[in-house]
Amino acid sequence: MILADALSRRYGDRLAIRDVSFKARPGEILGFLGPNGAGKTTTMRILTGFLAPTAGRAAVADFDVVRQPLEAKRRLGYLPETLPLYDDLTAREYLGFVARLKGVDGRKIGDAIDRAMTLCGITDVADRLVRNLSRGYRQRVGLAQAIVHDPPVLILDEPTSAMDPRQIVEIRNVIKGLRGSHTIILSTHILPEATAVCDRVIVINEGRVVAVDTYEQLAARLRRSEKTLVRVARPDGRLTGRLAALRGAVHVTPGEGTGEVVVEAGLGADLREEIARTVVEAGAGLLELRPLAMSLEDVFLRLVTHEEAAEEPRA
Amino acid sequence: MRGTLVITRKELRQLFSSPIAYVALAMFFVVNGFLFYALVGGYTLQVLQLQGTPPPDFNPTRIIFTPLYQDMTFVLMLLVPVLTMRLVSEEDRARTMELVVTSPVTNSAILLRKYLDVILLFGVLLVISAIMPLSLALIGRLDWGLLGATYTGLVLLGAAFLAIGLFASTLNENQIVSAAIGFALLLMFYVVGFAQQAAGTGGQQILSALSISAHFSNLASGIVDTTDALYFLSLAGFFLFLGIVALEARKWR
Ligand SMILES: Nc1ncnc2c1ncn2[C@@H]1O[C@H](COP(=O)(O)OP(=O)(O)OP(=O)(O)O)[C@@H](O)[C@H]1O
Ligand SMILES: [Mg+2]
């Protein structure tokens, strides 16, 4: 339903994203998880046709966003990071304007507005000027705008920012309610948000996709092991065997470069001393030895890993 | 059509939420009203001096309205950038352009939509300004042919001015800067005519062909020439095209 194929985007000399590829399957909610400046907004802007990619290809509902922009945009609802609201209109007028802009048939506009307002819980404020709404309600009007034409694909850039915990739960339920009938990508830098709503998570950091998986598997992959990279001058099969025989070693695999071996140990085990001794005794010529910090782990460390307000509910 | 009107209402609402728009419109009517008053006064004096025996080519419409509408073009040079400055700049500032651009409409449709809206508003202004000749029509005979030519000229001139202002609005998200750019562009097209004397014969022709004032004087003196009409229409077309290119170019920034 949504395809990103080797997307790159340059701002001047800076590469904001490079080689970003992923697919969203029909009906799933895909989380786009990454710290500030990771490139989430940039990627979403390319998917919506707001920005052109420097390289690569993006498609929405099988329509290329650069070559068939109107077809792609017709099937797309988009909540930008900064809410695109007209302060001088009421919520209802605003949604009417958007519905027309999105090409909703004139006779169905009234129903479309009512449906979107009911889903997002803004019926009460329908006739108030958008200017006078609270930040959380403005966010809801923004979300209503994205779904008013009932598009099959939704791209939501931080849909729950600036909401209070109760509202966050409500909006997440709205989004979950759209699962199945809609394909959704939502970005967040809050780990529990991805856990709470998404079927699968794309972790992005410094413009690169670091992992794509379900949250449970990502977490499992993170916790499973401690990895150490060894680089030697004269690698041979016997060294691998000796390393694998070390106490605590779980797995020994060849690394990416020549002469590299990755030793995987149980969580908390530090095998560096033993590894060094083994390599030297084998006469393989130790060149390098360092713990392998997984970039996924780095990313998770930089994420907001808890929701302060949500964790301290006031009685 | 209903959709058109609603969008127009939104644009109007935005326009009139800014005090600058009121000031500009008030300025338009006050200045024109004053010019009208002064010209009618001058005309009355002339009639008194003639003592009831006007020469055969005596034309009240020409004496009052030709200079009035000549001066009005100056006022429009100031007013039009104020009418157009928000059209794109304000949407950029409020970040609503991201919604508009990601909707299933082309950039040319977006820009033409805004252009038609502001032309409509401009048309309303012209209709209101017609109160001046109409009020005189109650007490005397007017040269409707001359007035028709002048209003045709104003519509054409307005179409070109508004396209230039709209283009300026695509360049910057600060509306005041957009208004200034629009005014500078208009001024440039206005004053190229003044440089005629300085240029050689060849240059003189080119400069007067580019000049807004030269083309409008023709229309304001009752001559409807296709060359003048084509001039204003191509000016409008060219700047609309530039505006569309400017919107398209944003994707690649
Ligand atoms: N218009 C721009 N011009 C120049 N650099 C930009 C522009 N937009 C984004 N960047 C840079 O590109 C990188 C990615 O930005 P992006 O907004 O995509 O990140 P993000 O993941 O959405 O971050 P956040 O969580 O803060 O919203 C950042 O380093 C940012 O500074
Ligand atoms: Mg962002």
Side-chain angles (χ1 to χ4, degrees):
Chain A
M1 259 330 235
I2 306 174
L3 169 78
D5 182 13
L7 290 176
S8 297
R9 181 54 154 99
R10 207 175 260 291
Y11 294 111
D13 295 340
R14 281 199 72 244
L15 255 182
I17 59 168
R18 60 190 90 183
D19 229 5
V20 169
S21 300
F22 59 85
K23 265 185 198 155
R25 304 177 191 125
E28 85 173 331
I29 303 182
L30 194 58
F32 218 51
L33 185 64
N36 291 124
K40 304 183 291 294
T41 300
T42 303
T43 310
M44 291 184 145
R45 284 181 161 170
I46 293 173
L47 292 175
T48 56
F50 183 70
L51 288 179
T54 309
R57 198 173 75 84
V60 167
D62 294 330
F63 291 102
D64 188 293
V65 299
V66 176
R67 277 192 238 120
Q68 296 157 289
L70 294 187
E71 291 301 324
K73 286 171 183 174
R74 233 185 284 287
R75 290 161 181 80
L76 193 79
Y78 176 37
L79 174 64
E81 187 169 45
T82 313
L83 299 175
L85 302 178
Y86 294 102
D87 282 346
D88 304 315
L89 303 183
T90 66
R92 189 192 299 278
E93 285 172 335
Y94 172 68
L95 292 177
F97 169 74
V98 177
R100 263 169 225 110
L101 192 60
K102 301 288 179 184
V104 176
D105 180 37
R107 282 157 299 169
K108 295 186 187 144
I109 285 179
D111 291 343
I113 296 173
D114 289 338
R115 196 190 116 270
M117 289 202 300
T118 313
L119 265 176
C120 299
I122 53 172
T123 314
D124 294 345
V125 298
D127 297 309
R128 303 225 335 239
L129 283 184
V130 170
R131 169 200 309 287
N132 299 332
L133 297 180
S134 71
R135 180 63 223 258
Y137 270 88
R138 289 166 64 86
Q139 188 91 28
R140 285 167 184 244
V141 175
L143 185 62
Q145 163 276 125
I147 62 174
V148 71
H149 52 306
D150 201 18
V153 173
L154 281 175
I155 294 185
L156 311 173
D157 202 348
E158 307 204 10
T160 60
S161 65
M163 287 184 158
D164 69 37
R166 190 179 49 83
Q167 289 190 328
I168 289 181
V169 173
E170 281 179 30
I171 289 301
R172 282 182 190 161
N173 286 335
V174 172
I175 296 173
K176 280 193 231 168
L178 298 169
R179 169 191 281 138
S181 51
H182 298 73
T183 308
I184 305 176
I185 294 195
L186 69 86
S187 77
T188 176
H189 55 270
I190 303 170
L191 191 52
E193 174 138 306
T195 331
V197 252
C198 302
D199 299 314
R200 284 192 307 144
V201 182
I202 301 168
V203 184
I204 180 169
N205 189 37
E206 288 171 6
R208 291 175 194 276
V209 173
V210 187
V212 184
D213 218 328
T214 62
Y215 173 73
E216 289 76 12
Q217 280 175 2
L218 285 181
R221 221 205 294 172
L222 267 179
R223 302 256 164 66
R224 211 173 51 216
S225 61
E226 216 80 65
K227 287 184 181 172
T228 310
L229 178 101
V230 193
R231 197 154 65 85
V232 296
R234 294 169 293 280
D236 62 37
R238 271 177 308 154
L239 177 66
T240 314
R242 287 170 112 174
L243 287 173
L246 283 176
R247 241 176 76 99
V250 180
H251 221 63
V252 179
T253 44
E256 281 172 18
T258 46
E260 285 183 358
V261 181
V262 176
V263 182
E264 222 174 304
L267 206 61
D270 188 351
L271 296 184
R272 276 176 295 179
E273 212 182 318
E274 286 87 339
I275 292 170
R277 189 177 317 120
T278 312
V279 173
V280 172
E281 280 171 5
L286 182 61
L287 297 177
E288 191 181 351
L289 178 69
R290 65 182 157 91
L292 207 58
M294 288 172 61
S295 47
L296 189 59
E297 228 165 311
D298 290 341
V299 181
F300 273 77
L301 284 175
R302 288 172 54 199
L303 287 171
V304 178
T305 45
H306 61 289
E307 289 170 291
E308 281 131 61
E311 288 198 339
E312 299 158 29
R314 270 167 220 144
Chain B
M1 190 58 208
R2 227 182 94 229
T4 310
L5 287 179
V6 172
I7 294 180
T8 304
R9 201 178 70 197
K10 178 204 126 244
E11 300 285 2
L12 286 180
R13 187 89 68 97
Q14 281 193 288
L15 179 72
F16 288 106
S17 68
S18 138
I20 295 179
Y22 288 104
V23 173
L25 291 179
M27 178 194 85
F28 178 74
F29 289 119
V30 167
V31 172
N32 281 321
F34 173 76
L35 288 173
F36 179 55
Y37 173 77
L39 286 162
V40 170
Y43 167 74
T44 319
L45 220 62
Q46 272 191 35
V47 171
L48 287 177
Q49 280 162 0
L50 289 168
Q51 312 241 337
T53 49
D57 63 339
F58 185 75
N59 184 342
T61 313
R62 196 175 291 283
I63 293 172
I64 297 176
F65 290 106
T66 303
L68 175 65
Y69 290 117
Q70 297 274 13
D71 294 344
M72 197 160 154
T73 58
F74 277 108
V75 182
L76 286 178
M77 266 179 26
L78 288 167
L79 178 69
V80 163
V82 175
L83 294 182
T84 54
M85 65 182 182
R86 315 190 93 216
L87 289 174
V88 181
S89 299
E90 179 61 14
E91 299 233 28
D92 285 336
R93 194 203 50 79
R95 295 289 180 266
T96 46
M97 208 56 186
E98 194 161 352
L99 161 66
V100 175
V101 167
T102 55
S103 297
V105 283
T106 59
N107 282 335
S108 14
I110 294 170
L111 215 67
L112 285 179
R113 166 82 265 141
K114 290 180 176 294
Y115 184 58
L116 291 183
D117 285 345
V118 76
I119 290 242
L120 216 66
L121 176 68
F122 180 74
V124 172
L125 284 186
L126 284 190
V127 168
I128 297 176
S129 79
I131 289 174
M132 295 184 291
L134 289 179
S135 66
L136 281 196
L138 291 177
I139 52 173
R141 279 230 309 263
L142 291 183
D143 183 344
W144 293 111
L146 177 57
L147 279 176
T150 309
Y151 267 85
T152 309
L154 282 176
V155 170
L156 288 168
L157 174 125
F161 277 25
L162 292 168
I164 291 175
L166 180 56
F167 164 67
S169 185
T170 63
L171 298 181
N172 199 286
E173 69 170 50
N174 181 328
Q175 23 173 326
I176 304 300
V177 175
S178 294
I181 296 173
F183 177 66
L185 284 171
L186 289 176
L187 197 62
M188 210 179 72
F189 276 100
Y190 213 93
V191 299
V192 283
F194 300 168
Q196 280 180 47
Q197 278 78 9
T201 21
Q204 200 168 327
Q205 268 173 355
I206 295 172
L207 288 180
S208 103
L210 280 176
S211 158
I212 286 176
S213 43
H215 287 280
F216 185 70
S217 329
N218 283 346
L219 288 154
S221 48
I223 310 161
V224 182
D225 189 335
T226 41
T227 327
D228 301 319
L230 270 181
Y231 165 78
F232 285 119
L233 291 178
S234 24
L235 206 57
F238 178 65
F239 277 96
L240 281 176
F241 171 74
L242 283 190
I244 295 166
V245 170
L247 285 190
E248 203 61 43
R250 294 175 170 199
K251 278 190 204 163
W252 307 94
R253 263 198 316 225

